Amino acid sequence: MAIDVDRALQVAKHRWSRSTDAINLRDRLLLVLGQEKLTSVNKIVCFGLGGPTSWHMANPLTEEQERRGHGNLSLVRHVAALWMAEIISSYTRKRVRVYSQEESYRPHEADALRAHGIEPLSGRRGRHEGFLKIDARTLVFMFGSDTRQCIRVICATNRPAGIIAQIMRSNAAEIGVRRAIAYLDAEYHEHADWLPFYLWAFHTHVRGPQTVREFMRDGQRPLQGSTVWLRKSRFNP
């Protein structure tokens, strides 16, 4: 099914910006920006957001689901990346670029994404293409099955200002993940209770605002299951 990428992004940005997930994310970002965290960020580098070919795969939303922030996983995650860039840029008065590495982007989709402020990285220049964009002024935004592999590379080679990723501490039995989590614990402050990222099934080590009953009733929203790590000030360059 052909997707009008430009139209899909326009509609999703309008709808999602009014959701409680968008408002909660805005409030959390403004809070940490006021604490002089993430104020150096000039780009957001994304991994595993998925491509527009899947954007039609979503059930019609009720008004309540739309209000909460439900929607197609890939589409909402693209919109959230733009939303975070807009909030940080508005606060710091500096341009914040958005890059997204995704091998499934097709040329016409890439053109539409660029028009909305997302620079696609196809990985055709090497799977390292996205990693080369990461530096001390980067916020990394990561989903998908490659997250554990990517976080190991990032923790071994970079020290970004912040990382938002679906990493479960239950995976720490894997040597690479254990080392990555040890690195994150040493050099970053963990925020596992942020809305809209908190998910009780992923963040069992903290008490968060969502109950099992709410999850069973509402299902998982696109951003849930991620943890936020913000670099400790003593590790700033």
Side-chain angles (χ1 to χ4, degrees), residues 21 73 77 141-144 147-148 163-171 190-206 209-210 215 219-229:
D21 273 357
L73 296 180
R77 289 165 182 175
F141 189 45
M142 187 163 28
F143 293 89
T147 296
R148 282 178 282 177
I163 299 171
I164 302 174
Q166 289 182 329
I167 297 292
M168 295 178 64
R169 287 183 175 270
S170 59
N171 295 131
E190 178 188 14
H191 301 271
D193 61 346
W194 273 33
L195 291 173
F197 300 115
Y198 176 80
L199 182 64
W200 68 272
F202 278 60
H203 302 115
T204 56
H205 60 297
V206 298
Q210 183 195 46
F215 174 76
Q220 183 174 345
R221 298 190 300 280
L223 302 185
Q224 286 186 302
S226 296
T227 299
V228 179
W229 283 279

Side-chain angles (χ1 to χ4, degrees), residues 5 88 132:
V5 177
I88 296 171
L132 294 177

